[in-house]
Amino acid sequence: MIRLALLLALVATPASPGCRLALALGIDVSRSVDARDYAIQREGLLSALADRVIVDAFLKPEDRVALAVFEWSGQAQQDIVLDWTEVAGEAELLSIRDRIAAHRRAADHLPTGLGAALDFGRTLLDRAPDCLARTLDISGDGRSNDGRRPEEIYAAEDFGEMLVNGLPIGGHEADIAVYYRTRVIRGRGAFVEIARTQDDYPRAIRRKLERELTEQLLGRAEGSGRPG
């Protein structure tokens, strides 16, 4: 297995404008996510952002990562937890964790507007800092049941070269991972990282961030070097 340090070194390219990735995390807080589930998701993300492997992936090479976090539920309910922040050092990551920890959930009784969440993530990434790559990371435990469905959003809106990765959470709906693979993820190299249950979310979000910050960027860099 290629070591993390080698992956990070290969990701660096001379053409970088100073930011290698704009990454937006969309977190499901619809009514199927109870208080315990919500706490697991929040603590899992906080733990991942403090993990040494993830910290190193954010900070190396020198080109920065811009991060934004939002919560989503009903088709008209998306709440920005963290607006675009370029991570230049561990101080920024500490501040990011503090802001996530201080955030309070806006609603806990709304349906699952997954299509609207994808569209919100698209518009959020459209105003991200100028980065070489853009990735939307959507997690959720259910199919869209409010507003336009993911396939309708993709048919109507221009996502350009944006990647959409998925973190389906099992335990509420059967075959949710299949749904995310066939309806939610988008773009060459997009992937799903499955959490078997809410209790598995901390492992899944850590692994997903590691892949997005290292392996997936390496694949993009290699792809961009191929002719036509």
Side-chain angles (χ1 to χ4, degrees):
M1 181 177 181
I2 300 175
R3 292 183 181 273
L4 174 62
L6 176 58
L7 284 168
L8 293 170
L10 289 172
V11 168
T13 64
S16 170
C19 177
R20 69 184 190 272
L21 174 65
L23 175 62
L25 307 181
I27 300 170
D28 180 8
V29 295
S30 60
R31 59 191 170 209
S32 59
V33 179
D34 62 22
R36 177 182 179 275
D37 294 341
Y38 182 76
I40 290 172
Q41 291 185 173
R42 183 176 64 178
E43 294 306 314
L45 178 55
L46 291 172
S47 178
L49 292 174
D51 185 276
R52 191 69 248 170
V53 171
I54 303 304
V55 171
D56 287 345
F58 267 103
L59 301 183
K60 299 175 183 177
E62 292 183 0
D63 292 344
R64 298 179 181 182
V65 173
L67 181 67
V69 181
F70 68 97
E71 295 178 345
W72 62 272
S73 52
Q75 62 174 312
Q77 185 65 47
Q78 299 90 29
D79 188 17
I80 291 180
V81 178
L82 174 77
D83 211 343
W84 288 111
T85 302
E86 291 196 42
V87 181
E90 295 199 36
E92 281 85 3
L93 280 173
L94 179 59
S95 175
I96 286 169
R97 294 197 298 270
D98 287 344
R99 279 178 276 173
I100 293 171
H103 177 78
R104 294 295 174 262
R105 182 179 187 172
D108 62 2
H109 61 284
L110 296 173
T112 305
L114 181 49
L118 291 169
D119 198 32
F120 183 85
R122 177 186 65 83
T123 59
L124 183 62
L125 277 160
D126 280 346
R127 65 172 183 82
D130 183 19
C131 301
L132 284 174
R134 297 183 301 161
T135 296
L136 175 58
D137 178 330
I138 290 283
S139 63
D141 65 6
R143 293 167 174 79
S144 188
N145 58 25
D146 187 34
R148 290 189 293 173
R149 295 170 297 175
E151 56 267 36
E152 293 173 310
I153 291 293
Y154 287 140
E157 307 296 343
D158 182 11
F159 279 69
E161 296 183 357
M162 185 185 307
L163 285 188
V164 181
N165 296 326
L167 197 166
I169 304 167
H172 288 281
E173 292 191 20
D175 298 326
I176 189 62
V178 174
Y179 179 81
Y180 265 67
R181 284 195 184 100
T182 58
R183 305 291 182 89
V184 177
I185 66 171
R186 179 195 176 280
R188 182 179 179 183
F191 67 90
V192 297
E193 183 70 38
I194 303 166
R196 295 179 296 275
T197 64
Q198 285 285 357
D199 289 334
D200 190 37
Y201 181 90
R203 178 209 59 80
I205 188 63
R206 180 200 171 281
R207 176 57 181 148
K208 192 155 185 278
L209 286 171
E210 183 182 358
R211 292 178 69 179
E212 287 165 338
L213 293 166
T214 59
E215 297 165 25
Q216 193 170 56
L217 280 178
L218 175 62
R220 280 171 160 174
E222 290 176 339
S224 66
R226 297 191 185 105

